[in-house]
Amino acid sequence: MENELTASFPVLGIAAWSGTGKTTLLEKLLPQLAEHGLQVAVIKHAHHAFDVDQPGKDSYKLRTAGAAPVLVASRQRFALMQETPDQQEPDLAELLTMMMPHHPDLVIVEGFKAWPFPKLVLYREGVGDSAILTGPWVEAVALSGPSPIELGNVDQLDLDDSEAISRWIVAWVNAKKTTIAPNAISL
């Protein structure tokens, strides 16, 4: 995966080791980005099996009986459940294609560290290996203290300053929008 994953909207990865505070930061960033007028979608990678429905519910019964996919809809929300038993790792390009009809201004991807697309790396002292701060797809790092390694020409942000991080993301999105081809999803 050397070529950059491209889409018809900016895609920014949030990469960090478990325990760094990715979800906590995103909970702060999402309302701030909305205040800047951005409609943000999120794709979150899970390293474990999960269920969005519950045993005993009709959707669960239908899915386990072999319906694929199952779409459950109400006035408040809908959920599409698709079994992927033969798939080792979710295909991020395919997941991004599913975002196209929603016309997001930005898709934030939590996880998928090995995929080739721009990333904001979060690093908290004492959590994980500092090697995560390097690589060709790192565009910025948000640190809880001084960097443990030389970062070179990468934007550096304060991990605890969500407003500064959201301003960086808005500027990054605005710069990316000028270089994106409409309706493009490719690797």
Side-chain angles (χ1 to χ4, degrees):
M1 277 189 252
E2 293 180 16
N3 296 328
E4 180 175 356
L5 179 68
T6 59
S8 59
F9 38 74
V11 177
L12 179 65
I14 302 290
W17 296 110
S18 180
T20 302
K22 294 182 297 292
T23 302
T24 301
L25 178 62
L26 282 172
E27 285 179 301
K28 293 176 185 174
L29 289 176
L30 290 168
Q32 293 170 358
L33 295 171
E35 286 176 12
H36 285 280
L38 293 180
Q39 180 184 339
V40 181
V42 175
I43 296 175
K44 180 174 177 22
H45 183 264
H47 292 283
H48 48 80
F50 64 92
D51 270 320
V52 295
D53 57 358
Q54 301 169 7
K57 294 293 184 179
D58 290 349
S59 58
Y60 184 90
K61 291 175 186 177
L62 296 171
R63 185 172 53 86
T64 57
V70 174
L71 185 105
V72 181
S74 74
R75 245 184 325 186
Q76 289 84 20
R77 70 190 54 87
F78 70 86
L80 176 68
M81 293 165 281
Q82 175 70 50
E83 295 297 315
T84 57
D86 298 327
Q87 189 172 314
Q88 291 292 331
E89 181 74 19
D91 184 318
L92 183 55
E94 186 176 312
L95 297 174
L96 287 169
T97 300
M98 292 179 193
M99 293 294 185
M100 287 180 70
H102 304 285
H103 308 289
D105 297 309
L106 167 67
V107 173
I108 291 178
V109 177
E110 185 181 330
F112 296 91
K113 284 184 239 169
W115 281 75
F117 61 95
K119 296 183 179 66
L120 166 62
V121 176
L122 314 181
Y123 183 77
R124 188 170 301 283
E125 290 179 88
V127 180
D129 184 354
S130 62
I132 196 171
L133 297 168
T134 63
W137 305 108
V138 177
E139 300 240 340
V141 296
L143 305 151
S144 65
S147 177
I149 61 172
E150 176 61 39
L151 294 173
N153 195 21
V154 173
D155 291 334
Q156 295 182 42
L157 305 161
D158 179 345
L159 181 57
D160 297 317
D161 188 349
S162 64
E163 290 182 13
I165 295 170
S166 68
R167 286 191 304 272
W168 180 87
I169 291 172
V170 169
W172 182 86
V173 166
N174 288 334
K176 281 291 183 186
K177 281 186 175 182
T178 63
T179 63
I180 293 176
N183 301 319
I185 300 265
S186 67
L187 176 61

